[in-house]
Amino acid sequence: MKEYFKSIRFRIWITFVAFSLGTMGILLFAQIILTPLFYGRMKTQEYITASDTIKSWVTSDGWSPYSISDTQALKNSVGQLATTHQFEIIINLPATNGTIYASRSGGNDILANTVNDEIKNALLKAKNGTIITKMDNNGDEGVILATYVKKYDEIAAYIFIFGYTEPIGTTLSIVNTLSFICSNVILVGACIVSIMISSHIANPLVKISRNADKLITGEFNMKIKKTEYDEIATLTENLNAASAEISKTETLRRDIMANVSHDLRTPLTMIKAYAEMIRDLSGNNPEKREKHLQVIIDETDRLTLLVSDILNLSKLESGVMPINYSVFNFSEHLKGIISRFSLLDDAKDYQVTLEEDEGIMLNADQQKIEQVVYNLVNNAINYMGDDMQVHVRLFRKTQDTARFEVADKGVGIPDEQLPYIWDRYYKIDRSENHKRAVKGTGLGLSIVKNILNSHGFVYGCDSKLGEGSIFWFEFNIHKETKKEEKELLKP
């Protein structure tokens, strides 16, 4: 039960319900508390505005209480004001002891009347000369405003305005009843809609969570259906991709373990076997002993190379092997590398040729670039054609860039396998199986890829079945500064 309360489905639902209840609470608070308050303030301001309007009429320069026409005009204006705002208005003019009366029903008149001294004194003492009083007339609420206006330092008029405010009570009662009914309908609707939406959103996430749990148990080959929500669809795609990648990585891990175990076991077995042969059979026969010792040395070298390649590849992939940049003449350095292969031409019955443009300078890690050259040339030797030749080229592609190529006339690589040749232990054969390399450790191209990636060089392989392959990489030619030129010219 606790898990359900913590689930995304319940929390989305309760959020919708809480939001609906909060919204209805705010609306009810506004209707019950704020509406009468604002209505009272607005109504009071309406009284003050009406009294200011009357004051402006009475204090205008052209108006006189002694003029019958001016008094009649004031009576008509006040009558219209009373009808418009539903006010009862009384204006007492002390100069003539006349009183203008205007009713909200439209009746108005001019009567002889005076304001008693008590009211006069209260107005004179009031703030701003205005008194606003609420009253209750047999259950009907109302507001009375009393004020006065001066003209030429004499009181020109006493103004009394009265109006009822009871319609707001009836209106609020009706509105509150309708709001209560609507609130209940909205609450029920919100609960239903929130259940539907929470389930619609939560169900895909629940499925994703359950499938993610399967990754822990080692079940990597899973597929999750997409939804119409972009974020969940993206999460689904990413999880499916991660699952496929983890499955691929797990398969590759098993293959690597199998290949490494096989590559380690084979030389160790041969070392042990030939060591036993030397001990038991050929220890006293110099010719046989030398052959057996040479096998042990060769297998030890192979074992050392395998361990070294695995260690180097691990360092490159983890990024802990630093790149020591230096500027060197790649053309001259390449001649020295290829000359070492040429020393083996007669013994191994193959030929490595070199065509290079002079003076191509490279800013890179010299030792790692040498390893790239060795690995690419060795790879070409392992898979070269019947002509037993490997062609190496270094040339300027543009004024600022150069290209290094290693070409062979071997069987070539199928197009569908080209993207995978840089993977660890991926070997090309017609059955598309992973197999042990003809020579070497099977990690050479993966090391090449990591070194070239760390330098930011562009690289690739062009191959056609039956015609051979060309492995290449391109780089920017380093332009020497005057200081570097002087350093290079030093003896």
Side-chain angles (χ1 to χ4, degrees):
M1 197 65 176
K2 290 183 179 179
E3 293 181 356
Y4 175 75
F5 290 140
K6 293 181 179 180
S7 66
I8 188 172
R9 181 184 289 109
F10 174 78
R11 298 207 172 175
I12 292 176
W13 175 79
I14 200 66
T15 300
F16 268 92
V17 173
F19 177 78
S20 300
L21 289 173
T23 303
M24 290 186 295
I26 292 172
L27 290 175
L28 290 173
F29 176 78
Q31 291 170 4
I32 297 172
I33 305 298
L34 297 182
T35 300
L37 180 63
F38 277 100
Y39 176 79
R41 289 184 178 180
M42 291 174 65
K43 202 68 177 176
T44 301
Q45 186 60 43
E46 187 180 0
Y47 280 65
I48 295 172
T49 302
S51 67
D52 289 342
T53 301
I54 296 172
K55 289 178 180 180
S56 66
W57 292 338
V58 173
T59 57
S60 61
D61 292 337
W63 188 86
S64 173
Y66 303 104
S67 172
I68 297 175
S69 60
D70 289 349
T71 304
Q72 187 63 38
L74 178 61
K75 183 191 76 169
N76 295 335
S77 297
V78 171
Q80 186 176 0
L81 185 65
T83 304
T84 302
H85 294 278
Q86 293 292 292
F87 288 155
E88 305 287 342
I89 301 175
I90 298 173
I91 302 174
N92 179 261
L93 303 173
T96 61
N97 289 325
T99 299
I100 298 174
Y101 171 74
S103 172
R104 61 181 177 175
S105 60
N108 56 4
D109 202 351
I110 300 177
L111 305 174
N113 203 350
T114 60
V115 179
N116 62 50
D117 293 337
E118 184 180 353
I119 295 177
K120 290 180 180 179
N121 292 330
L123 288 174
L124 291 173
K125 294 178 181 180
K127 184 179 179 181
N128 298 325
T130 301
I131 299 175
I132 300 176
T133 306
K134 292 184 179 180
M135 62 164 293
D136 189 343
N137 184 17
N138 296 325
D140 295 332
E141 294 182 357
V143 174
I144 298 176
L145 180 144
T147 186
Y148 66 89
V149 58
K150 286 185 176 183
K151 185 176 182 181
Y152 308 126
D153 294 328
E154 296 290 336
I155 295 177
Y158 291 99
I159 303 169
F160 302 91
I161 302 176
F162 170 76
Y164 288 101
T165 59
E166 78 280 2
I168 185 63
T170 304
T171 303
L172 277 178
S173 177
I174 296 172
V175 171
N176 289 338
T177 302
L178 291 176
S179 297
F180 180 76
I181 296 172
C182 292
S183 297
N184 284 280
V185 174
I186 291 172
L187 181 60
V188 173
C191 290
I192 296 173
V193 172
S194 62
I195 291 173
M196 295 173 61
I197 293 177
S198 63
S199 298
H200 199 57
I201 295 175
N203 286 342
L205 294 176
V206 171
K207 291 179 181 178
I208 290 173
S209 177
R210 289 174 180 171
N211 280 278
D213 290 339
K214 295 179 181 178
L215 293 176
I216 302 175
T217 62
E219 187 177 339
F220 305 123
N221 297 319
M222 61 181 185
K223 291 291 182 181
I224 308 172
K225 294 182 179 179
K226 295 182 180 180
T227 67
E228 65 271 22
Y229 300 108
D230 288 344
E231 292 80 3
I232 299 179
T234 301
L235 178 61
T236 301
E237 291 177 359
N238 291 338
L239 190 59
N240 283 332
S243 175
E245 191 64 27
I246 293 173
S247 178
K248 180 181 176 182
T249 303
E250 180 65 16
T251 302
L252 182 59
R253 184 188 66 82
R254 294 193 187 100
D255 290 344
I256 289 174
M257 291 299 295
N259 281 285
V260 170
S261 299
H262 180 268
D263 283 349
L264 289 174
R265 184 172 61 248
T266 300
L268 288 173
T269 301
M270 295 186 69
I271 290 171
K272 180 181 179 182
Y274 277 89
E276 290 175 346
M277 289 176 66
I278 293 173
R279 183 193 64 187
D280 298 334
L281 300 176
S282 61
N284 297 323
N285 188 327
E287 183 178 352
K288 289 184 177 181
R289 185 174 66 244
E290 289 298 324
K291 290 182 179 180
H292 294 166
L293 286 173
Q294 187 60 48
V295 171
I296 292 175
I297 293 171
D298 291 342
E299 291 301 320
T300 303
D301 290 341
R302 177 180 176 83
L303 190 60
T304 302
L305 179 63
L306 175 63
V307 173
S308 178
D309 280 354
I310 292 174
L311 181 61
N312 288 337
L313 182 59
S314 177
K315 288 181 178 180
L316 286 167
E317 291 183 339
S318 62
V320 298
M321 182 175 284
I323 306 298
N324 300 314
Y325 285 94
S326 64
V327 179
F328 60 94
N329 191 324
F330 191 27
S331 302
E332 292 298 323
H333 192 64
L334 188 59
K335 291 178 184 178
I337 298 174
I338 301 305
S339 65
R340 299 170 201 168
F341 284 98
S342 300
L343 295 174
L344 302 174
D345 287 353
D346 296 334
K348 301 296 184 179
D349 196 26
Y350 60 76
Q351 184 178 10
V352 180
T353 62
L354 172 64
E355 298 178 29
E356 85 286 349
D357 291 346
E358 296 292 338
I360 295 180
M361 305 300 294
L362 176 59
N363 183 19
D365 190 315
Q366 183 173 332
Q367 184 179 0
K368 290 182 174 59
I369 294 300
E370 182 176 329
Q371 188 175 9
V372 168
V373 174
Y374 267 110
N375 286 351
L376 291 179
V377 173
N378 278 323
N379 182 74
I381 291 173
N382 290 339
Y383 295 98
M384 61 187 172
D386 295 334
D387 62 348
M388 304 298 288
Q389 290 189 357
V390 173
H391 302 283
V392 180
R393 296 181 62 205
L394 176 64
F395 57 94
R396 290 179 173 83
K397 188 176 180 182
T398 66
Q399 185 178 357
D400 298 321
T401 61
R403 181 181 176 106
F404 173 81
E405 293 182 349
V406 177
D408 65 74
K409 298 293 183 182
V411 295
I413 304 170
D415 291 339
E416 64 274 11
Q417 295 189 35
L418 279 175
Y420 308 106
I421 61 176
W422 308 98
D423 293 346
R424 290 174 292 181
Y425 278 107
Y426 194 90
K427 310 299 181 297
I428 303 301
D429 72 330
R430 294 304 177 90
S431 62
E432 297 185 5
N433 293 323
H434 293 233
K435 66 178 183 179
R436 191 167 179 260
V438 178
K439 296 179 182 178
T441 64
L443 299 174
L445 291 182
S446 186
I447 292 174
V448 168
K449 178 189 73 173
N450 280 276
I451 292 176
L452 295 178
N453 280 337
S454 65
H455 282 79
F457 292 169
V458 179
Y459 62 92
C461 175
D462 302 326
S463 183
K464 289 185 179 180
L465 284 176
E467 297 184 15
S469 304
I470 299 176
F471 286 83
W472 56 269
F473 68 86
E474 297 177 356
F475 56 91
N476 292 326
I477 299 173
H478 181 75
K479 303 294 185 180
E480 301 120 336
T481 63
K482 291 184 178 181
K483 182 178 179 181
E484 290 173 340
E485 289 174 355
K486 289 179 181 180
E487 291 293 330
L488 292 172
L489 290 174
K490 286 182 179 180

